[in-house]
PDB file of all heavy atoms in Angstrom:
ATOM      1  N   LYS A  10    -100.373  61.097  16.161  1.00 97.00           N
ATOM      2  CA  LYS A  10     -99.319  60.776  17.127  1.00 97.00           C
ATOM      3  C   LYS A  10     -98.913  62.053  17.836  1.00 97.00           C
ATOM      4  O   LYS A  10     -98.598  63.060  17.193  1.00 97.00           O
ATOM      5  CB  LYS A  10     -98.105  60.183  16.395  1.00 97.00           C
ATOM      6  CG  LYS A  10     -96.930  59.870  17.297  1.00 97.00           C
ATOM      7  CD  LYS A  10     -97.187  58.633  18.122  1.00 97.00           C
ATOM      8  CE  LYS A  10     -96.152  58.438  19.210  1.00 97.00           C
ATOM      9  NZ  LYS A  10     -96.476  57.316  20.097  1.00 97.00           N
ATOM     10  N   SER A  11     -98.954  62.025  19.143  1.00 96.00           N
ATOM     11  CA  SER A  11     -98.497  63.210  19.874  1.00 96.00           C
ATOM     12  C   SER A  11     -97.451  62.803  20.898  1.00 96.00           C
ATOM     13  O   SER A  11     -97.364  61.634  21.297  1.00 96.00           O
ATOM     14  CB  SER A  11     -99.669  63.907  20.541  1.00 96.00           C
ATOM     15  OG  SER A  11    -100.266  63.036  21.457  1.00 96.00           O
ATOM     16  N   PHE A  12     -96.630  63.777  21.277  1.00 95.00           N
ATOM     17  CA  PHE A  12     -95.590  63.530  22.272  1.00 95.00           C
ATOM     18  C   PHE A  12     -95.787  64.485  23.447  1.00 95.00           C
ATOM     19  O   PHE A  12     -95.930  65.689  23.231  1.00 95.00           O
ATOM     20  CB  PHE A  12     -94.205  63.772  21.670  1.00 95.00           C
ATOM     21  CG  PHE A  12     -93.844  62.844  20.565  1.00 95.00           C
ATOM     22  CD1 PHE A  12     -93.880  63.272  19.238  1.00 95.00           C
ATOM     23  CD2 PHE A  12     -93.468  61.530  20.830  1.00 95.00           C
ATOM     24  CE1 PHE A  12     -93.549  62.412  18.206  1.00 95.00           C
ATOM     25  CE2 PHE A  12     -93.136  60.672  19.798  1.00 95.00           C
ATOM     26  CZ  PHE A  12     -93.174  61.107  18.487  1.00 95.00           C
ATOM     27  N   PRO A  13     -95.769  63.940  24.643  1.00 89.00           N
ATOM     28  CA  PRO A  13     -95.812  64.828  25.804  1.00 89.00           C
ATOM     29  C   PRO A  13     -94.446  65.471  25.986  1.00 89.00           C
ATOM     30  O   PRO A  13     -93.429  64.807  25.836  1.00 89.00           O
ATOM     31  CB  PRO A  13     -96.113  63.868  26.959  1.00 89.00           C
ATOM     32  CG  PRO A  13     -95.661  62.538  26.499  1.00 89.00           C
ATOM     33  CD  PRO A  13     -95.665  62.530  25.007  1.00 89.00           C
ATOM     34  N   VAL A  14     -94.426  66.738  26.234  1.00 83.00           N
ATOM     35  CA  VAL A  14     -93.137  67.403  26.512  1.00 83.00           C
ATOM     36  C   VAL A  14     -93.255  68.272  27.748  1.00 83.00           C
ATOM     37  O   VAL A  14     -94.351  68.496  28.273  1.00 83.00           O
ATOM     38  CB  VAL A  14     -92.654  68.276  25.328  1.00 83.00           C
ATOM     39  CG1 VAL A  14     -92.039  67.439  24.251  1.00 83.00           C
ATOM     40  CG2 VAL A  14     -93.756  69.144  24.778  1.00 83.00           C
ATOM     41  N   ILE A  26     -97.040  67.869  21.966  1.00 92.00           N
ATOM     42  CA  ILE A  26     -96.768  68.210  20.567  1.00 92.00           C
ATOM     43  C   ILE A  26     -97.527  67.240  19.682  1.00 92.00           C
ATOM     44  O   ILE A  26     -97.369  66.021  19.813  1.00 92.00           O
ATOM     45  CB  ILE A  26     -95.262  68.120  20.256  1.00 92.00           C
ATOM     46  CG1 ILE A  26     -94.528  69.259  20.966  1.00 92.00           C
ATOM     47  CG2 ILE A  26     -94.996  68.168  18.757  1.00 92.00           C
ATOM     48  CD1 ILE A  26     -93.052  69.296  20.709  1.00 92.00           C
ATOM     49  N   ASN A  27     -98.376  67.780  18.824  1.00 94.00           N
ATOM     50  CA  ASN A  27     -99.119  66.918  17.908  1.00 94.00           C
ATOM     51  C   ASN A  27     -98.293  66.728  16.643  1.00 94.00           C
ATOM     52  O   ASN A  27     -98.324  67.558  15.740  1.00 94.00           O
ATOM     53  CB  ASN A  27    -100.479  67.531  17.593  1.00 94.00           C
ATOM     54  CG  ASN A  27    -101.345  67.633  18.836  1.00 94.00           C
ATOM     55  OD1 ASN A  27    -101.408  66.697  19.634  1.00 94.00           O
ATOM     56  ND2 ASN A  27    -101.969  68.767  19.038  1.00 94.00           N
ATOM     57  N   ALA A  28     -97.512  65.661  16.624  1.00 97.00           N
ATOM     58  CA  ALA A  28     -96.588  65.449  15.501  1.00 97.00           C
ATOM     59  C   ALA A  28     -97.309  64.971  14.246  1.00 97.00           C
ATOM     60  O   ALA A  28     -96.921  65.333  13.134  1.00 97.00           O
ATOM     61  CB  ALA A  28     -95.507  64.458  15.899  1.00 97.00           C
ATOM     62  N   LEU A  29     -98.343  64.155  14.406  1.00 98.00           N
ATOM     63  CA  LEU A  29     -99.136  63.705  13.253  1.00 98.00           C
ATOM     64  C   LEU A  29    -100.614  63.921  13.562  1.00 98.00           C
ATOM     65  O   LEU A  29    -101.097  63.510  14.618  1.00 98.00           O
ATOM     66  CB  LEU A  29     -98.873  62.222  12.953  1.00 98.00           C
ATOM     67  CG  LEU A  29     -97.428  61.814  12.636  1.00 98.00           C
ATOM     68  CD1 LEU A  29     -97.335  60.297  12.454  1.00 98.00           C
ATOM     69  CD2 LEU A  29     -96.900  62.517  11.386  1.00 98.00           C
ATOM     70  N   GLY A  46     -91.154  69.189   3.722  1.00 96.00           N
ATOM     71  CA  GLY A  46     -91.794  70.034   4.726  1.00 96.00           C
ATOM     72  C   GLY A  46     -90.735  70.501   5.708  1.00 96.00           C
ATOM     73  O   GLY A  46     -89.710  69.834   5.880  1.00 96.00           O
ATOM     74  N   GLU A  47     -90.999  71.624   6.370  1.00 94.00           N
ATOM     75  CA  GLU A  47     -89.949  72.202   7.211  1.00 94.00           C
ATOM     76  C   GLU A  47     -89.660  71.351   8.443  1.00 94.00           C
ATOM     77  O   GLU A  47     -90.439  70.456   8.786  1.00 94.00           O
ATOM     78  CB  GLU A  47     -90.318  73.630   7.604  1.00 94.00           C
ATOM     79  CG  GLU A  47     -91.505  73.736   8.519  1.00 94.00           C
ATOM     80  CD  GLU A  47     -92.057  75.166   8.582  1.00 94.00           C
ATOM     81  OE1 GLU A  47     -91.728  76.014   7.720  1.00 94.00           O
ATOM     82  OE2 GLU A  47     -92.825  75.427   9.513  1.00 94.00           O
ATOM     83  N   SER A  48     -88.555  71.645   9.069  1.00 94.00           N
ATOM     84  CA  SER A  48     -88.109  70.907  10.240  1.00 94.00           C
ATOM     85  C   SER A  48     -89.203  70.861  11.314  1.00 94.00           C
ATOM     86  O   SER A  48     -89.816  71.875  11.618  1.00 94.00           O
ATOM     87  CB  SER A  48     -86.866  71.591  10.784  1.00 94.00           C
ATOM     88  OG  SER A  48     -86.303  70.799  11.763  1.00 94.00           O
ATOM     89  N   GLY A  49     -89.447  69.673  11.843  1.00 95.00           N
ATOM     90  CA  GLY A  49     -90.425  69.523  12.916  1.00 95.00           C
ATOM     91  C   GLY A  49     -91.851  69.279  12.444  1.00 95.00           C
ATOM     92  O   GLY A  49     -92.765  69.198  13.256  1.00 95.00           O
ATOM     93  N   CYS A  50     -92.060  69.133  11.125  1.00 96.00           N
ATOM     94  CA  CYS A  50     -93.436  68.979  10.629  1.00 96.00           C
ATOM     95  C   CYS A  50     -93.946  67.537  10.767  1.00 96.00           C
ATOM     96  O   CYS A  50     -95.115  67.269  10.506  1.00 96.00           O
ATOM     97  CB  CYS A  50     -93.556  69.452   9.187  1.00 96.00           C
ATOM     98  SG  CYS A  50     -92.697  68.403   8.010  1.00 96.00           S
ATOM     99  N   GLY A  51     -93.065  66.613  11.162  1.00 97.00           N
ATOM    100  CA  GLY A  51     -93.537  65.251  11.423  1.00 97.00           C
ATOM    101  C   GLY A  51     -93.060  64.198  10.435  1.00 97.00           C
ATOM    102  O   GLY A  51     -93.506  63.050  10.488  1.00 97.00           O
ATOM    103  N   LYS A  52     -92.124  64.551   9.572  1.00 98.00           N
ATOM    104  CA  LYS A  52     -91.655  63.614   8.541  1.00 98.00           C
ATOM    105  C   LYS A  52     -91.052  62.350   9.151  1.00 98.00           C
ATOM    106  O   LYS A  52     -91.419  61.235   8.786  1.00 98.00           O
ATOM    107  CB  LYS A  52     -90.611  64.299   7.635  1.00 98.00           C
ATOM    108  CG  LYS A  52     -91.096  65.560   6.962  1.00 98.00           C
ATOM    109  CD  LYS A  52     -90.034  66.199   6.073  1.00 98.00           C
ATOM    110  CE  LYS A  52     -88.792  66.661   6.782  1.00 98.00           C
ATOM    111  NZ  LYS A  52     -88.993  67.772   7.745  1.00 98.00           N
ATOM    112  N   SER A  53     -90.116  62.545  10.078  1.00 97.00           N
ATOM    113  CA  SER A  53     -89.458  61.373  10.678  1.00 97.00           C
ATOM    114  C   SER A  53     -90.436  60.558  11.501  1.00 97.00           C
ATOM    115  O   SER A  53     -90.369  59.321  11.511  1.00 97.00           O
ATOM    116  CB  SER A  53     -88.289  61.800  11.566  1.00 97.00           C
ATOM    117  OG  SER A  53     -87.303  62.405  10.787  1.00 97.00           O
ATOM    118  N   THR A  54     -91.338  61.241  12.194  1.00 98.00           N
ATOM    119  CA  THR A  54     -92.332  60.518  12.990  1.00 98.00           C
ATOM    120  C   THR A  54     -93.173  59.627  12.074  1.00 98.00           C
ATOM    121  O   THR A  54     -93.434  58.466  12.385  1.00 98.00           O
ATOM    122  CB  THR A  54     -93.232  61.505  13.761  1.00 98.00           C
ATOM    123  OG1 THR A  54     -92.394  62.374  14.524  1.00 98.00           O
ATOM    124  CG2 THR A  54     -94.191  60.784  14.687  1.00 98.00           C
ATOM    125  N   LEU A  55     -93.552  60.156  10.920  1.00 98.00           N
ATOM    126  CA  LEU A  55     -94.330  59.364   9.971  1.00 98.00           C
ATOM    127  C   LEU A  55     -93.511  58.168   9.478  1.00 98.00           C
ATOM    128  O   LEU A  55     -94.021  57.040   9.399  1.00 98.00           O
ATOM    129  CB  LEU A  55     -94.781  60.252   8.802  1.00 98.00           C
ATOM    130  CG  LEU A  55     -95.649  59.607   7.737  1.00 98.00           C
ATOM    131  CD1 LEU A  55     -96.879  58.938   8.330  1.00 98.00           C
ATOM    132  CD2 LEU A  55     -96.075  60.640   6.685  1.00 98.00           C
ATOM    133  N   GLY A  56     -92.230  58.404   9.190  1.00 98.00           N
ATOM    134  CA  GLY A  56     -91.348  57.304   8.785  1.00 98.00           C
ATOM    135  C   GLY A  56     -91.282  56.236   9.863  1.00 98.00           C
ATOM    136  O   GLY A  56     -91.343  55.034   9.580  1.00 98.00           O
ATOM    137  N   LYS A  57     -91.184  56.680  11.111  1.00 98.00           N
ATOM    138  CA  LYS A  57     -91.092  55.725  12.222  1.00 98.00           C
ATOM    139  C   LYS A  57     -92.392  54.955  12.415  1.00 98.00           C
ATOM    140  O   LYS A  57     -92.377  53.790  12.804  1.00 98.00           O
ATOM    141  CB  LYS A  57     -90.725  56.452  13.512  1.00 98.00           C
ATOM    142  CG  LYS A  57     -89.269  56.884  13.533  1.00 98.00           C
ATOM    143  CD  LYS A  57     -88.972  57.614  14.823  1.00 98.00           C
ATOM    144  CE  LYS A  57     -87.609  58.278  14.758  1.00 98.00           C
ATOM    145  NZ  LYS A  57     -87.498  59.332  15.776  1.00 98.00           N
ATOM    146  N   GLU A  63     -92.578  53.833  16.051  1.00 97.00           N
ATOM    147  CA  GLU A  63     -93.504  54.621  16.862  1.00 97.00           C
ATOM    148  C   GLU A  63     -94.898  54.059  16.611  1.00 97.00           C
ATOM    149  O   GLU A  63     -95.238  53.760  15.473  1.00 97.00           O
ATOM    150  CB  GLU A  63     -93.504  56.104  16.448  1.00 97.00           C
ATOM    151  CG  GLU A  63     -92.232  56.865  16.752  1.00 97.00           C
ATOM    152  CD  GLU A  63     -92.070  57.248  18.217  1.00 97.00           C
ATOM    153  OE1 GLU A  63     -92.913  56.853  19.052  1.00 97.00           O
ATOM    154  OE2 GLU A  63     -91.076  57.924  18.519  1.00 97.00           O
ATOM    155  N   GLN A  97     -80.351  58.991   8.453  1.00 91.00           N
ATOM    156  CA  GLN A  97     -79.475  60.095   8.078  1.00 91.00           C
ATOM    157  C   GLN A  97     -78.005  59.834   8.405  1.00 91.00           C
ATOM    158  O   GLN A  97     -77.135  60.064   7.591  1.00 91.00           O
ATOM    159  CB  GLN A  97     -79.959  61.335   8.830  1.00 91.00           C
ATOM    160  CG  GLN A  97     -79.105  62.555   8.597  1.00 91.00           C
ATOM    161  CD  GLN A  97     -79.755  63.784   9.230  1.00 91.00           C
ATOM    162  OE1 GLN A  97     -80.741  63.681   9.959  1.00 91.00           O
ATOM    163  NE2 GLN A  97     -79.212  64.931   8.942  1.00 91.00           N
ATOM    164  N   ASP A 177     -84.740  58.143   5.541  1.00 96.00           N
ATOM    165  CA  ASP A 177     -84.946  59.417   6.228  1.00 96.00           C
ATOM    166  C   ASP A 177     -83.694  60.283   6.081  1.00 96.00           C
ATOM    167  O   ASP A 177     -82.706  60.074   6.773  1.00 96.00           O
ATOM    168  CB  ASP A 177     -85.270  59.167   7.702  1.00 96.00           C
ATOM    169  CG  ASP A 177     -85.751  60.428   8.414  1.00 96.00           C
ATOM    170  OD1 ASP A 177     -85.653  61.521   7.830  1.00 96.00           O
ATOM    171  OD2 ASP A 177     -86.226  60.310   9.564  1.00 96.00           O
ATOM    172  N   GLU A 178     -83.743  61.224   5.170  1.00 95.00           N
ATOM    173  CA  GLU A 178     -82.613  62.094   4.847  1.00 95.00           C
ATOM    174  C   GLU A 178     -81.318  61.299   4.668  1.00 95.00           C
ATOM    175  O   GLU A 178     -80.326  61.542   5.344  1.00 95.00           O
ATOM    176  CB  GLU A 178     -82.448  63.147   5.938  1.00 95.00           C
ATOM    177  CG  GLU A 178     -83.683  64.024   6.037  1.00 95.00           C
ATOM    178  CD  GLU A 178     -83.452  65.208   6.953  1.00 95.00           C
ATOM    179  OE1 GLU A 178     -82.381  65.821   6.826  1.00 95.00           O
ATOM    180  OE2 GLU A 178     -84.339  65.499   7.759  1.00 95.00           O
ATOM    181  N   ILE A 209     -87.560  60.771   2.593  1.00 97.00           N
ATOM    182  CA  ILE A 209     -87.681  62.039   3.314  1.00 97.00           C
ATOM    183  C   ILE A 209     -86.434  62.874   3.034  1.00 97.00           C
ATOM    184  O   ILE A 209     -85.316  62.379   3.202  1.00 97.00           O
ATOM    185  CB  ILE A 209     -87.785  61.781   4.835  1.00 97.00           C
ATOM    186  CG1 ILE A 209     -89.001  60.908   5.149  1.00 97.00           C
ATOM    187  CG2 ILE A 209     -87.802  63.098   5.600  1.00 97.00           C
ATOM    188  CD1 ILE A 209     -89.033  60.372   6.578  1.00 97.00           C
ATOM    189  N   HIS A 211     -84.704  67.167   2.752  1.00 93.00           N
ATOM    190  CA  HIS A 211     -84.800  68.625   2.695  1.00 93.00           C
ATOM    191  C   HIS A 211     -84.369  69.140   1.332  1.00 93.00           C
ATOM    192  O   HIS A 211     -84.512  70.318   1.041  1.00 93.00           O
ATOM    193  CB  HIS A 211     -83.921  69.257   3.771  1.00 93.00           C
ATOM    194  CG  HIS A 211     -84.537  69.188   5.133  1.00 93.00           C
ATOM    195  ND1 HIS A 211     -85.508  70.069   5.540  1.00 93.00           N
ATOM    196  CD2 HIS A 211     -84.357  68.322   6.151  1.00 93.00           C
ATOM    197  CE1 HIS A 211     -85.873  69.755   6.780  1.00 93.00           C
ATOM    198  NE2 HIS A 211     -85.201  68.692   7.154  1.00 93.00           N
ATOM    199  N   MET A 226     -95.774  68.127   3.925  1.00 98.00           N
ATOM    200  CA  MET A 226     -96.315  68.141   5.284  1.00 98.00           C
ATOM    201  C   MET A 226     -96.143  69.503   5.936  1.00 98.00           C
ATOM    202  O   MET A 226     -95.152  70.188   5.714  1.00 98.00           O
ATOM    203  CB  MET A 226     -95.630  67.079   6.148  1.00 98.00           C
ATOM    204  CG  MET A 226     -96.007  65.665   5.745  1.00 98.00           C
ATOM    205  SD  MET A 226     -95.225  64.425   6.791  1.00 98.00           S
ATOM    206  CE  MET A 226     -96.092  64.682   8.337  1.00 98.00           C
TER     207      MET A 226
HETATM  208  N1  LIG B 401     -89.679  61.165  20.909  1.00 91.20           N
HETATM  209  C1  LIG B 401     -90.135  62.414  20.911  1.00 91.20           C
HETATM  210  N2  LIG B 401     -90.438  63.065  22.066  1.00 91.20           N
HETATM  211  C2  LIG B 401     -90.920  64.317  22.061  1.00 91.20           C
HETATM  212  N3  LIG B 401     -91.152  65.026  20.949  1.00 91.20           N
HETATM  213  C3  LIG B 401     -90.862  64.445  19.769  1.00 91.20           C
HETATM  214  C4  LIG B 401     -90.333  63.122  19.686  1.00 91.20           C
HETATM  215  N4  LIG B 401     -90.155  62.812  18.377  1.00 91.20           N
HETATM  216  C5  LIG B 401     -90.547  63.899  17.690  1.00 91.20           C
HETATM  217  N5  LIG B 401     -90.965  64.875  18.516  1.00 91.20           N
HETATM  218  C6  LIG B 401     -91.514  66.189  18.112  1.00 91.20           C
HETATM  219  O1  LIG B 401     -92.491  65.966  17.115  1.00 91.20           O
HETATM  220  C7  LIG B 401     -92.402  66.938  16.082  1.00 91.20           C
HETATM  221  C8  LIG B 401     -92.134  66.264  14.756  1.00 91.20           C
HETATM  222  O2  LIG B 401     -90.815  65.714  14.796  1.00 91.20           O
HETATM  223  P1  LIG B 401     -90.140  64.964  13.567  1.00 91.20           P
HETATM  224  O3  LIG B 401     -88.829  64.458  14.032  1.00 91.20           O
HETATM  225  O4  LIG B 401     -91.096  63.974  13.025  1.00 91.20           O
HETATM  226  O5  LIG B 401     -89.949  66.160  12.533  1.00 91.20           O
HETATM  227  P2  LIG B 401     -89.208  66.181  11.124  1.00 91.20           P
HETATM  228  O6  LIG B 401     -90.182  66.691  10.122  1.00 91.20           O
HETATM  229  O7  LIG B 401     -88.577  64.868  10.869  1.00 91.20           O
HETATM  230  O8  LIG B 401     -88.100  67.298  11.369  1.00 91.20           O
HETATM  231  P3  LIG B 401     -86.605  67.398  10.759  1.00 91.20           P
HETATM  232  O9  LIG B 401     -86.762  67.902   9.370  1.00 91.20           O
HETATM  233  O10 LIG B 401     -85.944  68.401  11.647  1.00 91.20           O
HETATM  234  O11 LIG B 401     -85.983  66.040  10.848  1.00 91.20           O
HETATM  235  C9  LIG B 401     -91.308  67.893  16.516  1.00 91.20           C
HETATM  236  O12 LIG B 401     -91.887  68.990  17.162  1.00 91.20           O
HETATM  237  C10 LIG B 401     -90.477  67.074  17.474  1.00 91.20           C
HETATM  238  O13 LIG B 401     -89.836  67.899  18.417  1.00 91.20           O
END
Side-chain angles (χ1 to χ4, degrees):
K10 177 75 191 174
S11 61
F12 296 104
V14 281
I26 290 181
N27 297 316
L29 301 176
E47 67 195 16
S48 189
C50 69
K52 303 180 297 295
S53 295
T54 306
L55 182 54
K57 286 179 191 161
E63 292 284 5
Q97 177 173 9
D177 191 350
E178 298 189 44
I209 301 168
H211 283 280
M226 290 181 70

